[in-house]
Amino acid sequence: MLASVVTLCVVGTIAYRMHQEGAPSRKVPKLPLKVDVSLQRVHYTETKKGVKRWDLSAERAEYNKEADSTTLIGVKLVVAGSGSTGDLEVTAERAEYRNATRDVTLSGKVLGRSASGLEFSTSRITYVAARSQLETDQPVQFKDGGFELKGTGMEFQTQARRLKVMKDVSAVYRPQGVR
């Protein structure tokens, strides 16, 4: 009888302690609807034939399996350039990465800068991976040395560094050192 009581006390104590230790110290927040995976600080590199084409990094990523897309927050896209043009870095508040096409639509204070000094800004832009091209139908501003360009809509070939502004174009050239 005494052995049975001691055994019950030991089992009860063990069960009680396991329950206490198993309780989580903080709860994991529920994922928003239509989000299958949520990650913090992500980095993705696209390569072709062993050569880096671009890097995509973000503070947060939420994958939606149904739409086969990933929503990114705090985004930086670095498109690899040639030795003469250098890399092109584009930052934005948000982005939508479409997994099937590998296209990235960046939005919210989109800023682009190249190692050679080219800068641009817009509110939304899409990197079309198949063509290595940035496209927008939004107002855009470019600066390169003493050259400033404004317009609406553009296509920018990231490898060749060819720019086409679609409409409402205005340009100003100020030689370096002249104000």
Side-chain angles (χ1 to χ4, degrees):
M1 176 91 159
L2 181 60
S4 296
V5 171
V6 170
T7 303
L8 283 174
C9 286
V10 169
V11 169
T13 302
I14 291 172
Y16 175 75
R17 288 190 181 184
M18 284 178 46
H19 177 70
Q20 292 288 47
E21 290 173 4
S25 58
R26 74 175 188 185
K27 291 185 177 182
V28 177
K30 282 187 138 187
L31 293 177
L33 290 175
K34 298 196 178 205
V35 172
D36 298 296
V37 177
S38 181
L39 301 170
Q40 300 292 321
R41 290 178 287 287
V42 296
H43 182 98
Y44 177 74
T45 300
E46 172 78 15
T47 60
K48 185 173 185 178
K49 296 182 181 178
V51 177
K52 180 172 72 171
R53 294 187 56 164
W54 49 268
D55 281 319
L56 179 62
S57 56
E59 289 298 313
R60 189 172 81 229
E62 296 175 344
Y63 174 66
N64 179 331
K65 185 176 180 179
E66 183 180 314
D68 195 27
S69 69
T70 304
T71 301
L72 305 164
I73 307 296
V75 184
K76 179 169 72 170
L77 173 68
V78 179
V79 180
S82 66
S84 62
T85 61
D87 293 348
L88 176 66
E89 180 179 297
V90 184
T91 59
E93 294 171 347
R94 302 179 56 84
E96 198 69 30
Y97 175 76
R98 285 175 294 293
N99 298 294
T101 61
R102 297 177 325 278
D103 295 344
V104 184
T105 299
L106 301 106
S107 59
K109 296 183 183 177
V110 179
L111 302 172
R113 290 193 174 103
S114 75
S116 62
L118 171 89
E119 295 181 8
F120 71 86
S121 62
T122 188
S123 61
R124 192 181 91 225
I125 199 163
T126 298
Y127 176 73
V128 182
R131 296 190 302 267
S132 296
Q133 183 167 293
L134 290 164
E135 301 175 352
T136 187
D137 59 359
Q138 301 296 303
V140 63
Q141 296 180 338
F142 272 88
K143 291 181 183 180
D144 192 5
F147 185 68
E148 293 181 24
L149 178 85
K150 294 180 183 181
T152 301
M154 70 133 200
E155 294 176 352
F156 182 67
Q157 296 173 351
T158 61
Q159 297 304 305
R161 296 296 203 257
R162 286 194 194 119
L163 171 68
K164 179 179 179 182
V165 179
M166 305 309 187
K167 63 183 180 181
D168 302 327
V169 179
S170 68
V172 175
Y173 176 72
R174 293 182 184 92
Q176 297 283 340
V178 177
R179 292 186 187 225

